[in-house]
């Protein structure tokens, strides 16, 4: 993924937070060539980040990789299950994590740190999901894998030590978009019931027509060029940027947002997804639904992962943790 702090947006961008800008300036010193369909990383992506034991680093957490049934007629799905050490026999809240990467890159191991932090802080059992990527496996492959993993977690809650009434699904970027889609699918398909949806800078609008989508053309962490590539890979050229795209691919296309589980929507003020995410919250509120919205001043896309020591990251993580505690608590 190209990450720079220089470019020529067609609309004047909201400035980055100074701490965010400093990191972007450093990243810009070592620019990477833009990704194409032909250069999307596939081999060795699970080794690009530290291994699971290295991330856990002695914390009281145990884990295991598992293979579970995928959607009907599709390949099995790989997951990693994390739990607090010594929690056998307890019934804990559940968290299903869906990784980011535009639905075209990424691996669940890239987000082990985020998942482990949630397991440790909130004492929950977490399921980290692997799903098929586009363009090799375009829509609906990826989202059906994620829905299958959520259904499996709910159906196997007892053996996992999870309270089925307290399962939150969440993810960042593409993972946030897939989470929103899984929430729509669960509503439309009659279950399972989701306690909440954690949508971190979710990728939900395929049209790329908002002001924000043009403000970060060539600057920031996830740029317009990559977003256009991602949607074309996921939906194909005919539907890539069309308002006729399926809602389970691009949740902004959903005509009705009523009856959804409580949402936590977090986005940076200085990123391409700002407007689509804010609009999604407004539309949920219009139905009488719950959506806690946080727009973090000067935050680039995924700032909590790119700038973990920034003050806005500390504030964002605190707000996120508060919502998780309240949502798991209210679902008892």
């Amino acid at each position: 993924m190209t990450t720079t702090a220089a470019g020529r947006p067609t609309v004047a961008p909201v400035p980055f937070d100074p701490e965010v800008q400093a990191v972007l300036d450093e990243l810009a010193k070592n620019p990477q060539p833009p990704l194409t369909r032909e250069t999307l990383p596939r081999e060795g992506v699970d080794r690009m980040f530290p291994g699971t034991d290295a991330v856990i680093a002695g914390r009281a957490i145990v884990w295991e990789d598992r293979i579970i049934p995928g959607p009907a007629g599709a390949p099995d799905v790989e997951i990693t299950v994390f739990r607090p050490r010594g929690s056998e026999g307890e019934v804990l809240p559940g968290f299903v994590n869906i990784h980011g990467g535009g639905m075209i890159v990424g691996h669940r191991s890239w987000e082990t740190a985020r998942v482990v932090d949630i397991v440790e802080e909130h004492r929950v059992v977490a399921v980290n999901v692997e799903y098929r990527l586009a363009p090799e496996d375009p829509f609906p492959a990826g989202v059906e894998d994620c829905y299958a993993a959520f259904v499996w977690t709910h159906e196997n809650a007892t053996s996992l030590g999870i309270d089925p009434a307290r399962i939150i699904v969440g993810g960042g970027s593409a993972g946030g978009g897939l989470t929103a889609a899984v929430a729509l699918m669960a509503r439309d398909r009659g279950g399972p019931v989701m306690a909440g949806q954690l949508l971190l800078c979710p990728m939900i609008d395929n049209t790329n027509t908002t002001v924000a989508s043009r403000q970060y053309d060539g600057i920031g962490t996830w740029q317009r060029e990559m977003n256009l590539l991602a949607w074309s890979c996921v939906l194909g050229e005919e539907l890539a940027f069309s308002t006729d795209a399926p809602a389970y691919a691009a949740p902004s296309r959903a005509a009705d947002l009523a009856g959804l589980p409580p949402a936590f929507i977090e986005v940076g003020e200085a990123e391409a997804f700002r407007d689509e995410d804010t609009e999604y919250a407004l539309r949920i509120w219009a139905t009488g639904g719950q959506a806690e919205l946080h727009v973090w001043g000067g935050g680039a896309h995924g700032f909590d992962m790119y700038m973990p020591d920034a003050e806005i990251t500390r504030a964002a993580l605190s707000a996120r943790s508060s919502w998780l505690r309240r949502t798991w608590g209210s679902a008892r």
Side-chain angles (χ1 to χ4, degrees):
M1 289 174 283
T2 306
T3 308
T4 70
R8 295 184 178 179
T10 56
V11 179
V14 176
F16 295 113
D17 173 270
E19 289 183 288
V20 171
Q21 183 70 65
V23 174
L24 291 174
D25 289 343
E26 286 300 311
L27 292 170
K29 294 176 181 178
N30 184 33
Q32 303 298 311
L35 291 178
T36 66
R37 284 174 180 255
E38 293 71 34
T39 61
L40 293 173
R42 292 292 182 262
E43 296 299 323
V45 293
D46 58 333
R47 299 188 296 275
M48 294 176 67
F49 284 71
T52 304
D53 287 331
V55 174
I56 291 175
R59 289 184 280 184
I61 294 172
V62 295
W63 64 278
E64 63 171 327
D65 289 331
R66 299 185 63 170
I67 297 176
I68 64 173
D76 291 339
V77 172
E78 296 179 9
I79 63 170
T80 304
V81 180
F82 299 85
R83 68 174 60 252
R85 183 179 295 125
S87 63
E88 294 78 5
E90 296 183 55
V91 179
L92 302 176
F95 179 68
V96 177
N97 184 74
I98 304 174
H99 72 77
M103 296 177 276
I104 58 173
V105 296
H107 188 271
R108 70 187 187 281
S109 63
W110 293 14
E111 297 188 4
T112 298
R114 172 184 283 164
V115 176
V116 166
D117 285 347
I118 290 174
V119 171
E120 181 180 49
E121 179 179 357
H122 298 281
R123 194 169 177 77
V124 301
V125 176
V127 174
N128 200 10
V129 182
E130 199 64 40
Y131 56 89
R132 287 170 288 173
L133 300 174
E136 296 91 339
D137 292 290
F139 174 83
V143 70
E144 290 289 357
D145 287 350
C146 295
Y147 178 73
F150 170 52
V151 171
W152 179 89
T153 301
H154 193 274
E155 291 178 346
N156 292 272
T158 299
S159 63
L160 291 167
I162 291 175
D163 180 350
R166 292 197 288 163
I167 300 175
I168 290 174
V169 182
S173 194
L178 288 163
T179 296
V182 169
L184 290 167
M185 295 167 83
R187 179 198 67 181
D188 297 345
R189 297 177 180 181
V193 175
M194 186 186 298
Q197 48 180 327
L198 182 71
L199 310 180
L200 309 177
C201 52
M203 176 184 175
I204 55 177
D205 180 10
N206 64 301
T207 64
N208 295 271
T209 54
T210 66
V211 171
S213 74
R214 300 186 183 281
Q215 286 179 306
Y216 299 92
D217 187 355
I219 64 173
T221 47
W222 180 260
Q223 301 168 7
R224 183 178 177 84
E225 181 179 12
M226 277 299 298
N227 211 45
L228 296 174
L229 172 65
W231 284 115
S232 68
C233 289
V234 172
L235 288 170
E237 296 303 328
E238 184 175 343
L239 286 176
F241 317 117
S242 171
T243 56
D244 294 328
Y248 297 160
S252 287
R253 304 280 71 76
D256 180 13
L257 297 183
L260 293 174
F264 179 93
I265 302 175
E266 170 191 303
V267 68
E269 180 188 40
E271 68 158 289
F273 296 163
R274 182 196 64 225
D275 297 349
E276 62 201 66
D277 295 351
T278 303
E279 178 66 19
Y280 203 68
L282 288 168
R283 292 183 57 208
I284 291 174
W285 293 330
T287 72
Q290 295 176 272
E292 182 169 318
L293 173 66
H294 294 265
V295 182
W296 294 102
H301 183 72
F303 63 87
D304 63 313
M305 301 186 79
Y306 283 99
M307 299 89 184
D309 298 322
E311 180 63 30
I312 61 167
T313 295
R314 288 191 286 271
L317 292 177
S318 177
R320 192 185 300 175
S321 293
S322 172
W323 180 85
L324 288 169
R325 285 193 299 272
R326 287 179 280 125
T327 303
W328 276 315
S330 65
R332 289 180 184 275

